[in-house]
Each structure stands twice: as C-alpha cells, then as structure tokens.
Amino acid sequence: MDLLLLDLVIVLAAARLFGALARRLGQPPVIGEIVAGILLGPTLLGPLIGDQLFGPEMRPPLQALANVGLVLFMFVVGLELDQKLVRGKGRIAVTVALGSTVVPFVLGCVLALAIAGEHVGGGRTLPFVLFMGAAMAATAFPVLARILTDRGMQRITLGGLALASAAVIDVLAWTVLAVVVGIAGAGEAEGQWKVLLALPYALVMFLVVKPLLARLVPAYEKAGRLTPGLLSLVLIGLIGSAWATEWMHVHFIFGAFVFGTVMPREGAERLNHEILERLEQLAVLLLLPMFFVVAGLNVNLRELDLSSLGTLAAILAVAIGGKLLGSYAAARTQRLPARQSWTLAALLNTRGLTEIVILTVGLQKGVLDDELYSLMVVMALVTTAMTGPLVRRLYPDRRVARDIADAERAALGVTAAHRVLVIVPEPPAEQAPLVGLATTLALSAPSASPASPASSSEVVLGHLRPYPAGRLEVGSGLSSELAELAETLHELETLAATVRERGSESRVVSRFSADVAGELPGLASGARPDLLVLPAGVPGYAGVRDGATCRVVTVAVPSPVSESVPIPESPSVSPSVFGQAGSGSEPGPVAVHHGSGGDAAAHVALTLATLWGRPLVVTGGNRASALAQRLARLGVEATSGPVPEGALVVAADTANAPEGAHLLVRAEQDPDPVDWTEAVSALRAPLPRP
C-alpha cells in the first residue's frame, strides 16, 4: 500500500508538472502528461528503477484507477457533445468528415496488411487491419475544442465547421472501433453471443433510459440544486452502462459515452453544468492524468530498432498524409477556399486524447503488441503537437481577429458591407473617374447584389482639407474659409450621389486638418476598409499605404509608383483612361502584368475588364499565358501578349513595378489565392450599371 501511495504522488506530480510545461509551450496538457508517463516508464528510468516503482504488481491498481477516470471522462465527452454543431453545416461537415475518415482509414488498412505478419498472428489479422484503419481515422474532439478555444476560433465559421466535422468523425470512429472490439472479443469463449446484444442495448438506452433520465430535470428544479441522491443516480446509471458494454465485450468506454449522450439536454443546462462541475474536478485533475501517465508507462522506446523507425515513418506518412489530403479534398469539393481547407485539414489531424484511448483499448484487447503500441503513441504525440503551430501558420492571428470582428458585427446586427475607402485629392470636383473606379470595385465584391446593394457595398469618400496659411481670427476671413469647406462638401456629396445611383451606399468623411500628411493614415485605418483606392501623390501617401492591412489599389497616372519613378505631386485621373462617357475616345482593353506579385492585380484587372465590357490582355510569361487560357475557358475575353496601345495597365505594387502602369495593386495581409472559377461567376451576376 505504501508503494501504491508513493506511485500516486509521483504520477500526479509528474502529470501536473509536465502538463503545465506543455501548456507554456503552447501545447495541450495531454502531451505533457503522456511524455511524463513515458519518462517514468522503462524508456528513461529503465528496468532497475522503473520496475521497482512501477513494477508488474503496481500496474493493475494504477490501471484500475485510470480506467475509472476514463469512464468519467467519456461520460463528460458524451454529455458535452453539442448536437447542434451539425445543424446548418450538415452537408459540409458530413462531407469533410467522410473525407477525413475514409482516406486515412483505407490507407491505414493497407499499411496494416503490409505489417500484419510482423505484429499479429493469422487468426487476428482482420481485427488488426480494421483497428489500424480506425486509429488512423480518429480525431481528438476534446483536444481540438481546446485548441480552438485557446485562439478564440470557436467563435468563427471555420472553428464551428471544424467542431461539427470532428463530432461526425467521432461518431464514425467510435462505431468502427465498437465493431473492431466486437470482432476481437468474438473469439473468446463467452463473447460470441454477447456481442449481439450491443444493438438491443443501444435501443434500450435511447428509447427507455433517455426518457427516464429526462425526469431528473423536474426533480432537480424542485430541489433547486444537485443533491447527493440525484448525483448518485447518475453515477449508478453511468457505471451500470459501462459495466454492460464491458460484459458484452464491446468495452466500457462505449457504455460511458452513450450514457453521456442520452442525458437530457432541453431545459437541463443548469443540471448538466453542476454535474460537469462535480465530475470534471475529479476526472480531469486526478484520475484522467493517471490514465495518460499509465498509457505512457506502457511505452518502451528502448526496444525500438532501425526497422521500427521505418515502420514509424510509414505510420506518420499514412496518418498525416491521409488526414490532410482527405480533409482538404473533401473541403474543396464544398467550395471552401484553399486556406480555410488546409486549416480545417490541419485541425482535424490532431489525435491526442482520443487516439490514446483507442490505442489503450487495442493494447488491452491484444490487437496491438507493445512495439506497435509505442509507435502509435509517438504518432499521436507528433500529430497533436504539430497542430497548433501549423494552424497558426496557415491561419494567423490577424485572420482570426478579422473573422471574430466580422462575427461580432453580424451578431450585433451591424451590416457587414464590403467597404471601399477612396482618398479624394484636390480638387474633388475633378475626381469623378477616381470615384467611379472605386464604385466599380465596390460593386464587384462577392457580397454585392442589386437586390440589397446598400447592405452589400459601401464607398467612403475620405478628404482632408488643410487649414489656410496663418492663424484664423474672428473677422479675418473665417466665413470665407467655411464657405470653401462647404463648397468642398457639396462637391463630395455630388460624387457620393453618383455612387448611390449605381447601387452602392456612400458616405463622406471630410474635415479641416492642420497636418494632412500626418492625419490621413489615421483616417484610413479608422475606416477599416476592405479595399483602399489611393492616388499616388496625396500627402502622406507612404504612411497610408504602409499602414493599410487591406488590399490597396494605387492610382498612378501617368507613371507607376516605384523607387525609380517620381510620384506626381497632384495626380488627376484621365477620364479617357477609364473610358468615361464624353471622353472623346474609344476605351481600350485592360492589360495586367501577371508575375510574382500574386493574384491581386490580375483579379482587379479581371474585375474592370468584365464590368466595363473590355477585353483582357495578360502579359508576363508562362504564368500569364496559363492564366489567360484558364480565363478564356471560363468564357472571359482574355488573351496573352504584349500591352496594347491605349490599354489601362494594371500591375502588382512591388519594387520592380513596370513603367507606364496606371493602377498598382498590393494584396491584403495574408491573402487567399483567387479562385478564378468563383471570381468569374461572381462578376457575371447582374450588377447596376451607371
């Protein structure tokens, strides 16, 4: 007894220490707890110390305590499984879940067939193959939820979709595992007929036990709190359900999980919250860390040789490649953007806690040997540890913050309009072509539609007027300056009226400024635009451009903005360049230099060419030719070749921007690759015309 108590002290202290260390490193605590178990086992301490502290006579009582913690935890997982997650995302979630399950499952089965001769006997090949497939297909729903919560991603659409997909994967994985355990147990003398009781058991749980548990709600409301009697009933039912599935050779984790799923939901929020408060403290703080440390004690990396490293490499390739490719391909079939698809795939690749539970079941049922169990635990640690850093790289904090802000605006009923800010230089009355360009780009946004244009796009006209030279005094011409400002506001409102006539909302932001160059960057950032249209020669141009995180379209007429070409002091956009009515010249095509600057410039050029009804010429080598051919296949009047005479020229805003470009485009921070099929389809939607 003294050795058991000492082992408990060592295990709990190591679990807390390494769990806290893992959290400080940005990893889930389960990583540290499993590593603690591995270090306490034969891998580090060796047979001399390890067998004295955690010898064969100590493993059964430690495993029993760990199993009790697992029963409580699986009940908590079933109770916290939000069945509303799939609602509204059913088709996408199910499709992604199937891709994330089927591909790694099939690859896992193929790998199992290749290594079965080294790890199992001939009579257990089928359960071994199915088990390896199920282990490869698993996703750790609780660990995934923790990763999303730590970054606030559960509040955005991508996080909700990841949770919904993981919930479906959980159901598929546990179902397959139940079949595998049933097959593995069917060879036992008493197990052949008991497994057949699994289906009647499930029917009884959902049709009989679930309505009976609903009576807990009025009893709880009558008592006003969770009484010991009510909690005792829940625990008796939980342990009884776990015993039933273990007796049927289906494993006790399924009984615990199913009992959690049949607990009442409607009107039982306070009851379930109090149950979770009571059980989570016992399970998460004491017994569950025991489970992970005991799982680590069974890992012996000392016995691995070079052939084991080859098997580990194959396991990692199948586990990671199958999950990432299966999830990504399924997400893309549902027209999710590439960045979101890769991020979703990386999230679903985490295995951690769920994987360790599955592997422990396989070890207990004799489906896995000690060597393969150790290798699979390493795979679980690697896939879980890589999730956080990979997701942070694929979906940076700036993107998460932007999505959260959009979600909060939507929750508050604030219109999520596509906002274009155009900086209007002096004199405003001559900037109709500039404002017309901004309006066209606003109306081309995917959310813009003629049915609800005011709620879909907005053009903000930003203008700062400098104070006159000298100090203004009463009676020294103040009324004259105010009259000039009023005239400027009238000109800006006239421009805003033309925007509204085309179907977009518009507003004016104009005021006196003592330092236009210094205040203009603040005006631009305060407007929080999705697109900034910026004349090259406005005061404070560099500060506005460098401070913007959105896409920036620099109007550089007639010269591009680069280190070798001076910026004009006060540009005026030529109406003939933009094909305005009454310009006296036939509008030419739109040309774009498509190279290493990304897709933003080509997307702007495609937008203008499509909405203005002009041909598009793409120049810049092989990439340009490939893009022109792709757009032509989509029905766009696009060719590749040199820039034609009289064309409006668009280029990427880089240090080597070509001379003669009229528009220079810099992509927003962390841009998504342009889906050209979707872009062309969106531009062909009917839009208001000037």
Side-chain angles (χ1 to χ4, degrees):
M1 189 63 187
D2 58 339
L3 185 56
L4 175 61
L5 294 176
L6 177 61
D7 285 349
L8 290 177
V9 171
I10 295 173
V11 166
L12 292 177
R16 295 296 294 173
L17 175 62
F18 282 87
L21 180 61
R23 187 180 283 109
R24 289 181 64 88
L25 295 175
Q27 295 292 342
V30 62
I31 294 286
E33 292 165 357
I34 297 172
V35 171
I38 294 176
L39 296 179
L40 290 175
T43 299
L44 181 64
L45 298 182
L48 187 61
I49 301 177
D51 286 349
Q52 289 184 359
L53 287 175
F54 305 101
E57 71 280 0
M58 288 292 101
R59 296 289 179 90
L62 291 174
Q63 187 67 59
L65 287 173
N67 287 341
V68 173
L70 186 57
V71 167
L72 295 177
F73 176 74
M74 291 306 297
F75 168 73
V76 169
V77 171
L79 185 59
E80 289 186 324
L81 184 61
D82 190 354
Q83 300 167 2
K84 298 177 183 177
L85 284 174
V86 186
R87 295 176 188 173
K89 306 181 185 73
R91 181 171 56 86
I92 301 178
V94 171
T95 302
V96 173
L98 287 174
S100 185
T101 302
V102 172
V103 174
F105 179 84
V106 172
L107 293 178
C109 290
V110 172
L111 175 63
L113 287 172
I115 64 175
E118 303 174 12
H119 297 281
V120 294
R124 302 186 69 83
T125 301
L126 177 60
F128 172 72
V129 169
L130 294 177
F131 180 87
M132 287 291 290
M136 295 295 184
T139 292
F141 183 89
V143 177
L144 172 63
R146 181 58 184 268
I147 292 174
L148 292 173
T149 302
D150 287 345
R151 296 195 62 201
M153 292 182 69
Q154 81 282 2
R155 300 160 60 188
I156 66 177
T157 302
L158 182 62
L161 182 58
L163 287 173
S165 301
V168 178
I169 294 172
D170 254 10
V171 174
L172 296 174
W174 292 125
T175 302
V176 174
L177 186 60
V179 173
V180 173
V181 173
I183 294 175
E188 302 176 14
E190 299 180 1
Q192 296 183 5
W193 65 273
K194 289 181 180 179
V195 176
L196 300 177
L197 297 176
L199 182 58
Y201 156 80
L203 293 176
V204 169
M205 292 297 294
F206 282 93
L207 299 180
V208 179
V209 176
K210 186 174 183 178
L212 291 175
L213 289 174
R215 299 183 180 181
L216 293 174
V217 178
Y220 169 80
E221 293 176 347
K222 182 178 180 181
R225 63 187 181 90
L226 181 63
T227 63
L230 291 175
L231 184 59
S232 298
L233 287 175
V234 173
L235 291 175
I236 290 171
L238 166 61
I239 297 173
S241 178
W243 166 82
T245 52
E246 181 68 17
W247 178 79
M248 289 183 285
H249 298 284
V250 182
H251 207 273
F252 61 82
I253 62 172
F254 298 105
F257 180 76
V258 170
F259 192 81
T261 60
V262 299
M263 284 290 291
R265 295 294 197 277
E266 189 173 348
E269 292 81 6
R270 291 175 54 210
L271 169 63
N272 292 338
H273 178 72
E274 287 201 41
I275 292 175
L276 290 175
E277 276 190 335
R278 302 281 184 89
L279 297 186
E280 277 187 320
Q281 292 178 0
L282 178 64
V284 175
L285 295 180
L286 176 64
L287 298 178
L288 194 60
M290 181 78 61
F291 170 77
F292 292 121
V293 174
V294 170
L297 289 174
N298 293 318
V299 176
N300 187 1
L301 300 181
R302 288 191 176 199
E303 296 181 354
L304 303 183
D305 52 23
L306 291 179
S307 63
S308 299
L309 295 179
T311 304
L312 176 61
I315 289 173
L316 289 173
V318 168
I320 298 172
K323 268 290 181 182
L324 294 182
L325 295 179
S327 303
Y328 175 80
R332 292 294 286 161
T333 63
Q334 298 301 305
R335 306 189 66 82
L336 240 62
R339 180 191 293 271
Q340 283 82 345
S341 297
W342 279 121
T343 306
L344 184 59
L347 286 168
L348 296 179
N349 186 48
T350 185
R351 288 176 172 84
L353 187 148
T354 303
E355 185 73 15
I356 298 301
V357 172
I358 292 175
L359 296 178
T360 302
V361 173
L363 185 66
Q364 292 173 351
K365 292 294 182 180
V367 179
L368 292 180
D369 59 17
D370 291 338
E371 178 188 357
L372 200 54
Y373 172 81
S374 300
L375 296 177
M376 293 292 286
V377 168
V378 173
M379 179 272 288
L381 292 175
V382 171
T383 54
T384 305
M386 67 184 286
T387 299
L390 183 59
V391 170
R392 194 173 296 276
R393 183 173 182 83
L394 290 170
Y395 218 79
D397 291 339
R398 288 189 299 263
R399 293 295 300 256
V400 176
R402 193 163 65 200
D403 289 352
I404 291 175
D406 291 341
E408 289 176 346
R409 285 196 297 174
L412 294 172
V414 179
T415 300
H418 182 82
R419 180 175 297 163
V420 175
L421 171 65
V422 53
I423 302 300
V424 181
E426 294 284 351
E430 298 179 7
Q431 305 305 325
L434 179 68
V435 175
L437 169 68
T439 306
T440 300
L441 295 174
L443 290 172
S444 69
S447 59
S449 71
S452 57
S455 64
S456 300
S457 64
E458 179 184 37
V459 178
V460 179
L461 308 183
H463 176 78
L464 295 182
R465 184 175 180 83
Y467 281 114
R471 184 178 178 183
L472 288 176
E473 299 287 351
V474 176
S476 64
L478 177 62
S479 59
S480 173
E481 298 299 333
L482 291 177
E484 290 182 14
L485 180 60
E487 179 63 24
T488 299
L489 287 173
H490 174 71
E491 293 172 355
L492 292 170
E493 284 295 342
T494 301
L495 293 174
T498 63
V499 175
R500 298 184 189 107
E501 289 175 1
R502 294 187 59 182
S504 179
E505 188 55 70
S506 181
R507 61 189 177 94
V508 173
V509 178
S510 179
R511 65 176 185 269
F512 275 125
S513 172
D515 181 11
V516 173
E519 293 184 20
L520 203 55
L523 183 149
S525 62
R528 299 180 65 180
D530 300 292
L531 173 68
L532 175 62
V533 178
L534 181 65
V538 296
Y541 165 81
V544 176
R545 175 186 175 276
D546 296 341
T549 59
C550 62
R551 180 180 291 187
V552 180
V553 177
T554 296
V555 180
V557 180
S559 299
V561 179
S562 68
E563 295 178 356
S564 60
V565 181
I567 299 174
E569 293 183 1
S570 182
S572 178
V573 182
S574 170
S576 62
V577 172
F578 295 99
Q580 297 292 310
S583 63
S585 63
E586 186 69 23
V590 177
V592 58
H593 289 270
H594 186 56
S596 59
D599 295 338
H603 186 233
V604 168
L606 171 67
T607 298
L608 299 178
T610 303
L611 298 184
W612 285 346
R614 302 196 202 178
L616 176 66
V617 179
V618 189
T619 184
N622 293 333
R623 289 191 64 208
S625 178
L627 177 60
Q629 293 175 12
R630 182 174 182 182
L631 293 176
R633 287 194 297 269
L634 294 172
V636 178
E637 188 181 351
T639 57
S640 60
V643 177
E645 186 73 23
L648 183 143
V649 183
V650 185
D653 189 355
T654 58
N656 57 350
E659 266 191 63
H662 302 104
L663 301 179
L664 298 173
V665 183
R666 194 197 70 184
E668 62 270 34
Q669 287 186 357
D670 308 310
D672 290 325
V674 175
D675 186 327
W676 296 109
T677 303
E678 185 175 321
V680 171
S681 176
L683 290 171
R684 284 176 176 162
L687 293 172
R689 296 290 178 178

